[in-house]
Amino acid sequence: MVGSTDPISCFLQLQDFFAKIWRVILLREEFNFYLEHQGALAKKYGDTVIVIKDKTVIGVYNSEEEAVKETTRTHELGSFLVQKCSADPSSVLHTYRSRVRLFGEETFV
């Protein structure tokens, strides 16, 4: 599965892999925070796009593009959640998948 037999290359690939997994875990915590407080957040921020990091709203924007552009000026991409704010519970039922290359093999995440 690993493309190289060099121990250092293998270690670096594994380190990168686990860093990606850790980001997914952290973003899941941010998303759970949003779900737990969805009603209150929607009441406070209305029909906007919010940015959540460390279970705190750190930005409020009019679009996802603006939220990402502005937030990446001060925070690393992948370290925060960009979420459309809505009181409707069904508004969070979107699934997005992207292609990634892990250990030289393309897969969906």
Side-chain angles (χ1 to χ4, degrees):
M1 193 187 321
V2 176
S4 173
T5 57
D6 173 36
I8 294 173
S9 295
C10 291
F11 173 77
L12 292 175
Q13 288 179 4
L14 284 172
Q15 185 179 26
D16 184 52
F17 173 75
F18 285 114
K20 289 175 184 175
I21 297 298
W22 183 246
R23 279 191 219 128
V24 169
I25 291 168
L26 291 178
L27 290 180
R28 181 167 297 268
E29 289 180 10
E30 307 302 356
F31 185 64
N32 285 338
F33 169 82
Y34 172 76
L35 292 177
E36 291 168 10
H37 300 91
Q38 185 174 5
L41 291 169
K43 185 175 182 179
K44 183 173 183 177
Y45 298 110
D47 189 33
T48 61
V49 175
I50 60 175
V51 178
I52 302 172
K53 183 172 181 172
D54 299 327
K55 299 180 182 176
T56 303
V57 175
I58 62 169
V60 181
Y61 301 96
N62 294 319
S63 71
E64 292 176 351
E65 294 82 11
E66 180 187 15
V68 171
K69 181 179 177 183
E70 294 300 319
T71 307
T72 54
R73 291 179 184 198
T74 54
H75 300 277
E76 181 182 355
L77 187 62
S79 69
F80 55 87
L81 175 71
V82 175
Q83 178 65 49
K84 175 74 173 148
C85 197
S86 173
D88 181 8
S90 68
S91 68
V92 296
L93 300 177
H94 300 284
T95 301
Y96 298 94
R97 301 210 180 270
S98 63
R99 290 184 188 267
V100 296
R101 185 170 297 279
L102 299 174
F103 307 115
E105 297 178 13
E106 192 171 279
T107 187
F108 283 97
V109 176

